[in-house]
Amino acid sequence: MERVGYLGRGCWAAAENIAFGTGAAAAPRRIFEGWIHSTGHRRNILGSFEDFGVGLRVGSLERFAGVHVWTQHFGTLC
């Protein structure tokens, strides 16, 4: 958020969804289904944000290999 200019502004709103999984649980559809069926994550997805970004990093997390970590970022500048 800082790199794209949100945190240096005087007026902004932002939200974030994060999820991770391995194997079939890491597939985009499975991750999105988890978010859309969670009240807080759904609120972010269906909110009135103007900007959206998605990220994926694949690697190790704690003792697990092949972990897919998904993020969604939402933002609005005033």
Side-chain angles (χ1 to χ4, degrees):
M1 298 301 278
E2 183 176 18
R3 188 171 23 152
V4 294
Y6 270 82
L7 302 183
R9 299 283 181 112
C11 182
W12 54 273
E16 178 181 61
N17 291 343
I18 302 173
F20 70 92
T22 60
R29 179 178 297 273
R30 293 285 299 274
I31 295 296
F32 185 79
E33 287 172 351
W35 280 332
I36 204 68
H37 292 292
S38 162
T39 303
H41 295 103
R42 181 183 180 91
R43 187 178 312 116
N44 290 343
I45 292 167
L46 300 178
S48 58
F49 294 102
E50 295 176 0
D51 299 312
F52 168 77
V54 64
L56 169 64
R57 170 151 283 173
V58 180
S60 297
L61 182 62
E62 296 186 6
R63 66 180 192 275
F64 300 100
V67 176
H68 291 63
V69 179
W70 292 91
T71 61
Q72 290 180 323
H73 291 102
F74 308 88
T76 299
L77 294 173
C78 303

